[in-house]
Amino acid sequence: MRANGGNSVISGETSEPINARRTETLLFPALFRHNDLIAAMSTAENIPQKKLVNILNYLHFSESRLYVLLTHPDYPERTLIRVRHEPCSTDKLVCHWDQDCGDPDLERYNIPYLIVSYDQAVIIAPVRVLDARGSMMTLQLPEYGRLINERERPRFRCRNIEAEIWQQGFQAAGHLVDISDRAFRVHVAAKPPSSFSWFNTDETAMLRLHDGETTFYAAPCTAMYEERKVRGRDIVVTPLNDEEIKRFPPKVFRNPRLNSSTPLHVIFEHPLIKKKVQREIFDISNAGFSIRDDEKDVVLPPGLIIPEAAVLYAGVVKIGCTIQVVYRRRENDLIRFGFVILDMNVTNYKKLNLVLTTMGGGHAGTSNVVDTDELWEFFFDADFIYPQKYKALHTIKADFRNLYRKLYEESPEIANHFVYQKNGKIYGHIAMLRAYEKTWMVHHHAARPMGGKAAGLQVLKQLILYLNDLYRMPSANMDHVITYYRPGNRFPERIFGGFIDYINDPRHASLDRFSYLTFPPREAGGKLPDDWSVRDCTSSDFWEFEQFYRNSGGGLFSSVLMPEEGGGQPPLETVYSESGFIRRWRFHVLARHDVPQAFIIVEESDVGINLSSLLNGFKVFIIQPDLPPEILFSALSAMLGPDTSGSVSLLLYPAEYAETLSSGYESKNYLLWILNMQHADEYIDYLGRKYRIRVL
């Protein structure tokens, strides 16, 4: 027999609404309405006194309450009163009236039975009062109690869960009393000016269950039963959708569900009944998992949110997440419960992805475990670090090596990577970096020949599989994915650029052309004329930037720079700093007579974190095409300060502005590709239709 002292199958108790003011002492909380239990004692299972004492001590340890049954010599009704009991070591049990019940005059009442709610059953023990003084009494326990299985459908008592009911202007609040597999019993009082005369039991109502901060359940329900109490009412409601909910829009491409030969479990505390649950996982993907269970063992209504759960792999790897029940389905004698993963941080998502890759036998050769010495050899041999690029980096190579050791070995929250390798030698590589508050950048995609195998394509597939569910996680902060590439580079032009023409909707995916150059600040410096100034952006400046960018053929970059607020998460600068990295940016306006002429974004990151310095230096959006270049360069030099040495990268938009520069500045073009991740399915569909690239 499994013990669960916090569960209750006794109905009829009165529970006061949360925060309700007491105006009187309740002597009799509830009438006893289950005379059938007394009648069933003659055929019930015996519970020896020794076992009964152990159960009573367990319930005391669990801080659970007992009940005594009171009878009046002149009236037929029987009354339940809740009591607190002391530890028990003999056949005598000391009890105290619950503080809500006052001090009944025992000379006017009899106490024939002690009633114990235990493990979805009821123990009824005939007792005799040995002593009664004030609020305390001593009971003589019997040689045997009677165990009665009261319900076919178990009902679990709930604690510290607030309940709210709304219905077309009617409002009531109180708390959740108990739940069964398909019903909730709440005790609520109408909130003025609402009245229960407004409540229509034939119409749908909205039920919300929470603890004052976190909502665990909110769904439309119908009332099955309503009972008037001294304060408020007990209402039993059942959800309209008690089999399945639709948490997200259906996806065309779903990561496969896998079964594990290695033990894989989910562990969580049930948010309503405060009971620890551990179950073996039946199948799992990056998006969710399912378990199978006896319906009498656990109550998991579809829609229930479990804020703190953990997936445990092989008893060692623990992966924290927030989950929600999305369906319950009968499979022979068991119930299958499906869960969607609502959120997990990037570090835990990496762990889950690694577990799933292991379970699936791995994608031959793909991995995110890298020998950094092999990585350097690969970057040089694949001509990713070409001579001019290495010339700019060689003076900081020690810092550069340490930077990549942290990125690839310490697995920070801000980055991830995939490699295709054989016998430790790397043939394909791709990485991603959280570049802006809610945007990740794909970069460092490179490959070298491997006997006809497309190593570059393999790591791209792995990246897409990884992103396919990650973007839905709020903690991932992935509204957009971006990448830069050079015009004329055939692979990204087909894989990324071709999608722009295919989808033909800049709200789904966009492509912006920038001109890229470097300039020496000392040579370009000079004082700005008096009618020119550089200042921080104001809210009206941001509005003007959006108008300029949108009307100049721009795409999604303004959404990247100014994402929707929300989530309550730390800023990206803090996240980088906590991992030992640098990432920040500032917005400025170059103005003449206080009229914006250009918007300037000053970006700072660890040198070499992006090998093309696309996250260091300036991004300048030219509003006035006739802006004198010497004015622009003077402004940029002044912003850098006199101590800046070496060249600084500069991205100009629109790219045509570079044509106004003198021949001393050599420029090249970069294309910025941006994907709105709400349309990731469309991109995967494009890869399959256009190039027969089967990702899933």
Side-chain angles (χ1 to χ4, degrees):
M1 178 185 296
R2 291 180 302 278
N4 185 5
N7 299 336
S8 173
V9 295
I10 299 176
S11 62
E13 62 183 282
T14 292
S15 303
E16 186 180 28
I18 292 176
N19 297 327
R21 180 182 297 274
R22 294 190 177 278
T23 58
E24 59 179 308
T25 299
L26 292 182
L27 179 60
F28 299 132
L31 294 177
F32 182 68
R33 302 179 183 278
H34 291 278
N35 292 321
D36 55 316
L37 295 179
I38 305 300
M41 289 179 62
S42 60
T43 57
E45 176 186 345
N46 283 334
I47 297 291
Q49 186 183 93
K50 181 179 180 180
K51 185 173 183 63
L52 176 61
V53 168
N54 287 336
I55 291 173
L56 292 173
N57 283 331
Y58 166 70
L59 295 177
H60 180 273
F61 177 80
S62 304
E63 299 184 353
S64 299
R65 297 289 191 262
L66 311 180
Y67 297 84
V68 293
L69 189 65
L70 269 64
T71 62
H72 193 284
D74 298 329
Y75 307 114
E77 288 82 10
R78 296 171 173 177
T79 304
L80 277 177
I81 289 187
R82 192 163 58 181
V83 295
R84 295 177 292 107
H85 63 294
E86 296 183 2
C88 182
S89 58
T90 66
D91 60 352
K92 297 176 179 59
L93 179 69
V94 177
C95 297
H96 301 265
W97 300 117
D98 191 273
Q99 62 182 0
D100 294 344
C101 300
D103 297 324
D105 183 359
L106 292 182
E107 293 183 359
R108 299 178 57 207
Y109 297 93
N110 298 319
I111 300 180
Y113 299 110
L114 175 72
I115 298 182
V116 180
S117 177
Y118 180 73
D119 193 33
Q120 295 305 313
V122 173
I123 297 174
I124 299 181
V127 294
R128 181 166 57 91
V129 178
L130 299 177
D131 186 27
R133 302 176 192 175
S135 63
M136 183 179 74
M137 62 180 172
T138 303
L139 303 178
Q140 172 72 54
L141 296 177
E143 291 187 16
Y144 294 96
R146 302 289 186 174
L147 179 68
I148 301 169
N149 291 311
E150 183 198 16
R151 296 180 178 275
E152 291 184 5
R153 294 187 181 277
R155 196 162 73 187
F156 294 83
R157 181 173 175 79
C158 302
R159 295 179 290 176
N160 303 320
I161 300 297
E162 299 182 38
E164 299 174 13
I165 290 180
W166 302 292
Q167 186 191 69
Q168 301 170 357
F170 168 81
Q171 296 182 58
H175 68 271
L176 178 64
V177 178
D178 55 42
I179 61 172
S180 65
D181 62 335
R182 295 182 186 274
F184 303 87
R185 183 160 68 104
V186 299
H187 181 81
V188 293
K191 297 180 68 174
S194 295
S195 165
F196 278 110
S197 63
W198 299 5
F199 186 61
N200 185 348
T201 56
D202 295 329
E203 291 292 320
T204 300
M206 179 64 69
L207 172 68
R208 176 177 175 242
L209 304 174
H210 60 97
D211 65 358
E213 295 182 358
T214 303
T215 296
F216 302 119
Y217 184 85
C221 299
T222 55
M224 298 173 58
Y225 172 81
E226 181 183 9
E227 181 180 3
R228 185 172 181 173
K229 296 290 184 178
V230 176
R231 290 190 183 91
R233 298 191 182 185
D234 275 8
I235 301 176
V236 177
V237 298
T238 184
L240 284 183
N241 302 317
D242 63 353
E243 295 291 341
E244 185 171 2
I245 66 166
K246 303 294 184 183
R247 174 69 281 165
F248 297 109
K251 294 185 67 170
V252 178
F253 301 98
R254 299 175 59 189
N255 285 1
R257 289 288 181 105
L258 302 174
N259 301 102
S260 176
S261 57
T262 304
L264 193 65
H265 294 85
V266 61
I267 305 170
F268 58 87
E269 180 182 78
H270 195 294
L272 304 183
I273 64 178
K274 311 303 181 187
K275 174 185 175 182
K276 287 288 184 182
V277 177
Q278 178 171 335
R279 295 293 185 271
E280 186 172 354
I281 290 175
F282 176 69
D283 61 11
I284 187 170
S285 74
N286 299 78
F289 55 86
S290 69
I291 64 173
R292 293 191 293 190
D293 207 345
D294 190 309
E295 64 181 333
K296 294 184 179 181
D297 286 341
V298 66
V299 177
L300 295 168
L304 180 69
I305 294 175
I306 301 169
E308 295 183 6
V311 173
L312 189 64
Y313 179 68
V316 177
V317 180
K318 193 173 184 179
I319 305 168
C321 54
T322 297
I323 59 178
Q324 184 176 31
V325 185
V326 289
Y327 69 78
R328 48 165 291 145
R329 299 170 185 164
R330 180 170 292 280
E331 294 183 351
N332 299 321
D333 295 331
L334 297 175
I335 301 295
R336 184 169 172 180
F337 296 97
F339 297 82
V340 63
I341 298 174
L342 293 180
D343 197 16
M344 64 170 54
N345 63 37
V346 174
T347 299
N348 280 326
Y349 190 85
K350 289 181 187 179
K351 292 179 184 178
L352 178 60
N353 195 66
L354 180 60
V355 167
L356 294 175
T357 301
T358 303
M359 287 171 53
H363 296 264
T366 57
S367 172
N368 62 358
V369 179
V370 176
D371 181 337
T372 51
D373 289 335
E374 288 292 334
L375 181 66
W376 297 126
E377 187 275 333
F378 167 77
F379 278 154
F380 281 97
D381 185 59
D383 200 33
F384 196 78
I385 301 181
Y386 48 86
Q388 294 89 335
K389 186 176 290 186
Y390 181 62
K391 183 179 180 180
L393 294 171
H394 80 281
T395 58
I396 58 166
K397 62 182 181 181
D399 294 336
F400 191 45
R401 281 197 294 261
N402 184 56
L403 173 71
Y404 275 73
R405 180 194 60 77
K406 290 197 297 181
L407 278 174
Y408 283 75
E409 295 180 7
E410 296 180 8
S411 190
E413 187 88 358
I414 59 170
N416 201 12
H417 59 273
F418 297 93
V419 295
Y420 192 89
Q421 55 189 334
K422 183 176 182 180
N423 297 327
K425 185 172 183 178
I426 299 172
Y427 291 90
H429 173 277
I430 197 168
M432 57 186 297
L433 192 69
R434 188 175 163 198
Y436 299 95
E437 293 294 348
K438 294 189 176 183
T439 296
W440 288 71
M441 182 171 78
V442 175
H443 66 160
H444 300 172
H445 188 200
R448 59 182 170 186
M450 188 187 174
K453 289 188 176 181
L457 185 59
Q458 291 299 323
V459 291
L460 178 63
K461 287 182 178 181
Q462 275 300 99
L463 177 69
I464 294 172
L465 279 169
Y466 178 80
L467 299 179
N468 191 40
D469 289 309
L470 176 62
Y471 76 88
R472 293 189 297 100
M473 313 287 178
S475 294
N477 293 287
M478 190 177 288
D479 289 353
H480 299 91
V481 166
I482 67 173
T483 192
Y484 289 89
Y485 64 91
R486 296 284 308 281
N489 191 330
R490 290 182 58 193
F491 184 83
E493 280 199 337
R494 294 167 59 198
I495 298 301
F496 300 117
F499 180 63
I500 302 300
D501 296 329
Y502 176 82
I503 200 66
N504 194 29
D505 190 335
R507 296 169 301 176
H508 296 193
S510 66
L511 195 67
D512 290 325
R513 183 183 295 268
F514 287 82
S515 184
Y516 176 91
L517 64 144
T518 60
F519 77 102
R522 291 181 180 177
E523 297 178 16
K527 186 178 179 181
L528 281 174
D530 292 340
D531 54 345
W532 289 83
S533 63
V534 175
R535 57 176 170 77
D536 293 340
C537 274
T538 64
S539 56
S540 61
D541 292 330
F542 283 122
W543 180 86
E544 185 163 342
F545 167 73
E546 286 193 88
Q547 306 312 307
F548 158 74
Y549 178 68
R550 184 181 300 113
N551 287 283
S552 63
L556 293 166
F557 194 52
S558 61
S559 299
V560 168
L561 295 174
M562 294 170 282
E564 294 180 358
E565 296 182 359
Q569 299 185 46
L572 187 58
E573 181 177 349
T574 301
V575 176
Y576 266 69
S577 177
E578 289 175 349
S579 297
F581 299 91
I582 299 170
R583 179 72 181 128
R584 49 182 167 259
W585 59 92
R586 306 186 306 276
F587 299 93
H588 299 278
V589 171
L590 174 60
R592 186 180 188 188
H593 300 299
D594 207 35
V595 177
Q597 307 293 303
F599 292 98
I600 303 171
I601 304 171
V602 185
E603 300 201 51
E604 183 181 358
S605 302
D606 297 271
V607 176
I609 199 168
N610 172 261
L611 291 172
S612 298
S613 296
L614 296 170
L615 298 179
N616 261 317
F618 297 98
K619 288 183 176 66
V620 181
F621 293 81
I622 308 296
I623 300 176
Q624 299 298 331
D626 57 352
L627 171 66
E630 61 273 15
I631 295 291
L632 173 62
F633 290 147
S634 293
L636 299 180
S637 297
M639 294 171 70
L640 288 170
D643 298 329
T644 303
S645 60
S647 297
V648 177
S649 63
L650 173 61
L651 284 167
L652 296 170
Y653 179 92
E656 291 76 17
Y657 181 77
E659 298 173 3
T660 67
L661 304 180
S662 66
S663 58
Y665 294 99
E666 294 185 6
S667 65
K668 54 188 176 183
N669 285 340
Y670 269 99
L671 295 171
L672 171 60
W673 182 85
I674 307 175
L675 174 65
N676 179 342
M677 289 303 290
Q678 294 300 317
H679 302 280
D681 259 9
E682 298 172 32
Y683 179 58
I684 297 173
D685 180 62
Y686 160 77
L687 294 177
R689 290 177 180 271
K690 193 73 174 178
Y691 298 108
R692 297 182 181 179
I693 299 174
R694 297 184 59 84
V695 177
L696 302 173

